[in-house]
Amino acid sequence: MRYLFATAIGLTMALAGMAQAGQAFDAIRARGTIVCGVNQGVAGFSTPDSRGEYRGLDADFCRALAAAVFGDPAKVRFVPTSSQNRFTMLQSGEIDVLARNATQTLQRDTALGLNMAGVNFYDGQGFMVRRSLGITSAQQLDGATVCIQPGTTSELNITDYFRANNMHFTPVLIERPDEFVGAYSSGRCDAMTQDASQLASYRATAVQNPNEHILLPERISKEPLGPMVRHGDDQWFDTVKWVLTGMIEAEELGISQANVDQRLRDPNPAVQRLLGVTPGFGGALGLDERWLYNAIKAVGNYGESFERNLGSGSVIGLPRGQNDLWTRGGLMYALPLR
C-alpha cells in the first residue's frame, strides 16, 4: 500500500510538471537568449553605461535570470521600451520579460493578460519642484503645470489626487525620459511627477545643480514595481518569480557574490536548498540544480544589487526604507524555497 501511495505521488508530480511546461519557456531555451524589456534610461534601474552595457537594479535581475536559465549572465538581450509600448511588446512576444519600473495593478493583471512575478522595488508617486519656488508640500500645487509621462499609473494617480483635494493642474504629457526631464528643466512645467525613485534618479543624474531641486514629502500612491510576463506559460512565470525570491532569500541567509562558493559547504538546510546542494528544486523548474548559485555568482543577492545601483554605493543614494528586509523593518520577504 505504501508503494502504491508513493507511486501515485510520483505520478501526480510528473503530471504536474508536464502541465507547467510552456511554449515561452521552451522557445527561450531553444533560442539561447532571454529578451528583456527595460527602461530607455533611468539611472539605478536600467541605463546604458559608457560602453553601452545596461546597468541597474532591473538590468541586474535580467542577468540573474539569464544565469539561472543558461548558466551565463551574458545570454540576455536588452530591448528599450517606452511607457506607451512596454505592455504591447510583452503581449506580442517581442520581449520575454518586462523588467521596467512597472506597477502591479488589477487591470494589468487581468485586462492586459500579464502576470507580475513579485516586487523588486516598493515605491510611491511623488513630485519634484525647484527649490526657488518655495513649495514644501504637494498641497501647494493648486494651479500648477505638471510634467507627466503618458500611459503610466502616474497619469491616473495625479488626477485622483488633485480631484480628491479640490485642486487643479495643467498636465504636460511627454513620453521620452530625456524630453520629460528636459521639459521640466527648461521651465515648461512647475513640477514633475513620477515614482519617487525615478525622480531621485533624475535629480542625481539628469538635471543641472541637483541641490536646486527638492522632492516633496507626499507619496500619493502605492507603486509595487517588478518583472512581468504574459499569461499562458506557468513554467516561465515560475522561473522569473523564483529567481527574484531567490535573490531576496540569499540576502536573508547572508549569501553574497563574494562568499557563495564558500557557502556551498554550509550545513544549513535552507542554504543547501538555495544553492542546489540539495537536489530537486532546480529540476522542479526545468533548470540546472545550480540555478540560484549561478544567479548569485553573477550579480549577488538583492541587497547587493540595491546598494550598488540605488543605495550608498550609487550616485542616487536612496535609503533601503521599505525595500529593506522584513527582519530590518522593510517589506522584502522571500517566499519559502522548500
Side-chain angles (χ1 to χ4, degrees), residues 175-191:
E175 182 176 353
R176 288 179 55 88
D178 54 344
E179 296 175 1
F180 178 63
V181 177
Y184 167 79
S185 298
S186 67
R188 284 183 59 191
C189 48
D190 303 309

Side-chain angles (χ1 to χ4, degrees), residues 63-85:
R63 289 191 177 90
L65 189 58
V69 174
F70 299 112
D72 185 350
K75 290 189 174 182
V76 57
R77 179 164 64 88
F78 293 98
V79 175
T81 66
S82 71
S83 58
Q84 294 284 66
N85 69 17

Side-chain angles (χ1 to χ4, degrees), residues 39 41-43 45 86 100-102 121 123-124 128 149 154 177 180-181 192 194-205 215 225 310 316 318:
N39 210 307
V42 175
F45 288 93
R86 53 185 171 165
R100 187 200 179 281
N101 312 83
F121 194 91
D123 213 341
M128 185 163 74
Q149 287 188 290
S154 299
F180 178 63
V181 177
M192 63 191 305
Q194 185 57 278
D195 294 347
S197 63
Q198 293 190 49
L199 295 178
S201 173
Y202 294 147
R203 183 176 64 177
T205 64
L215 269 64
L225 313 178
L310 291 163
I316 300 170
L318 289 178

Side-chain angles (χ1 to χ4, degrees), residues 92-274:
S92 68
E94 293 177 72
I95 57 177
D96 301 316
V97 57
L98 180 68
R100 187 200 179 281
N101 312 83
T103 303
Q104 182 177 11
T105 70
L106 185 147
Q107 287 294 327
R108 292 172 180 177
D109 187 36
T110 55
L112 295 188
L114 306 178
N115 282 329
M116 192 163 187
V119 178
N120 75 339
F121 194 91
Y122 289 95
D123 213 341
Q125 185 173 338
F127 297 90
M128 185 163 74
V129 299
R130 297 169 192 80
R131 191 181 298 274
S132 60
L133 293 179
I135 294 175
T136 58
S137 168
Q139 295 288 321
Q140 298 173 273
L141 290 175
D142 190 18
T145 301
V146 184
C147 284
I148 311 167
Q149 287 188 290
T152 64
T153 53
S154 299
E155 189 177 6
L156 304 175
N157 295 335
I158 188 175
T159 300
D160 289 347
Y161 178 78
F162 274 74
R163 182 182 294 124
N165 287 279
N166 196 28
M167 295 162 54
H168 303 278
F169 74 101
T170 301
V172 177
L173 300 177
I174 302 173
E175 182 176 353
R176 288 179 55 88
D178 54 344
E179 296 175 1
F180 178 63
V181 177
Y184 167 79
S185 298
S186 67
R188 284 183 59 191
C189 48
D190 303 309
M192 63 191 305
T193 188
Q194 185 57 278
D195 294 347
S197 63
Q198 293 190 49
L199 295 178
S201 173
Y202 294 147
R203 183 176 64 177
T205 64
V207 300
Q208 293 184 341
N209 304 316
N211 289 335
E212 295 180 4
H213 307 268
I214 62 171
L215 269 64
L216 300 180
E218 290 87 354
R219 298 293 177 266
I220 67 172
S221 69
K222 295 182 293 184
E223 305 293 331
L225 313 178
M228 289 184 176
V229 299
R230 58 189 169 275
H231 286 178
D233 188 337
D234 286 348
Q235 189 176 15
W236 179 233
F237 171 65
D238 289 345
T239 299
V240 176
K241 177 177 70 175
W242 284 101
V243 169
L244 175 57
T245 204
M247 291 179 68
I248 298 169
E249 183 161 6
E251 184 181 10
E252 291 181 354
L253 294 171
I255 302 171
S256 68
Q257 191 175 29
N259 71 18
V260 65
D261 288 314
Q262 177 186 348
R263 297 297 296 276
L264 286 169
R265 299 185 293 275
D266 193 319
N268 184 333
V271 174
Q272 293 181 342
R273 288 193 296 268
L274 187 138

